Amino acid sequence: AVQDAIDAYDQAASLFPKNSFMPVLQGSVVLQQGMATSGSVRHALIFRAMSFFLHEYNEAAEAYYKAVQGKVDSKIRGDHGSCAKKLRMTIALYNLARGFHYLALNHLSFQFYEQVLQLQNHMLSHGDICGFTCDAA
């Protein structure tokens, strides 16, 4: 059943490559599969899941931003590219922290949650209006 979900999410990701939610779903199901197995395969699956949370998410979010950038930039003034990049990194770190939290690796999840909060505080102190501090706190 888990392999069917992985296959379905892989197919959905190929149909919607700019949807940044797909890597989160893929990472979640691969993480589930990793928790259900043992041995070296488990470690490989967990690393693959973390890759979805961090790297694959960032790539999909970047592709989406580039696709809609012209539409957004024509309506909004200012440097929103850097804000969007910081927000993508914040969300990717948050996804990674949630993955470690799910694995009960709290010492690692706390480090990433703290990074999320530090990025948020930095963004807010510099007038960036994008962010989500409540969940990480």
Side-chain angles (χ1 to χ4, degrees), residues 1-3 6 27-46 49 102-103:
V2 174
Q3 188 59 47
I6 290 173
S28 297
V29 75
V30 170
L31 192 59
Q32 280 290 119
Q33 186 180 31
M35 293 300 293
T37 60
S38 62
S40 61
V41 174
R42 179 180 191 160
H43 290 100
L45 289 170
I46 289 172
Y102 178 77
L103 295 171

Side-chain angles (χ1 to χ4, degrees), residues 45-67:
L45 289 170
I46 289 172
F47 278 115
R48 182 174 174 217
M50 295 304 170
S51 172
F52 278 116
F53 290 148
L54 189 61
H55 180 69
E56 300 293 329
Y57 169 82
N58 266 336
E59 283 190 0
E62 177 74 20
Y64 175 77
Y65 177 75
K66 285 180 179 178

Side-chain angles (χ1 to χ4, degrees), residues 20-125:
S20 59
F21 192 57
M22 289 299 155
V24 175
L25 295 173
Q26 289 173 294
S28 297
V29 75
V30 170
L31 192 59
Q32 280 290 119
Q33 186 180 31
M35 293 300 293
T37 60
S38 62
S40 61
V41 174
R42 179 180 191 160
H43 290 100
L45 289 170
I46 289 172
F47 278 115
R48 182 174 174 217
M50 295 304 170
S51 172
F52 278 116
F53 290 148
L54 189 61
H55 180 69
E56 300 293 329
Y57 169 82
N58 266 336
E59 283 190 0
E62 177 74 20
Y64 175 77
Y65 177 75
K66 285 180 179 178
V68 299
Q69 184 176 7
K71 297 173 189 173
V72 172
D73 287 346
S74 66
K75 296 179 181 176
I76 301 173
R77 297 179 186 194
D79 183 21
H80 294 284
S82 65
C83 180
K85 189 172 188 173
K86 289 175 192 173
L87 183 59
R88 284 192 305 271
M89 179 53 73
T90 304
I91 293 170
L93 290 172
Y94 180 77
N95 292 338
L96 203 57
R98 292 294 297 157
F100 284 126
H101 193 149
Y102 178 77
L103 295 171
L105 296 172
N106 294 334
H107 64 289
L108 294 174
S109 66
F110 290 154
Q111 291 176 8
F112 285 100
Y113 284 136
E114 285 176 355
Q115 287 182 26
V116 168
L117 292 172
Q118 288 171 358
L119 268 170
Q120 287 292 300
N121 288 336
H122 176 76
M123 290 166 58
L124 293 172
S125 68

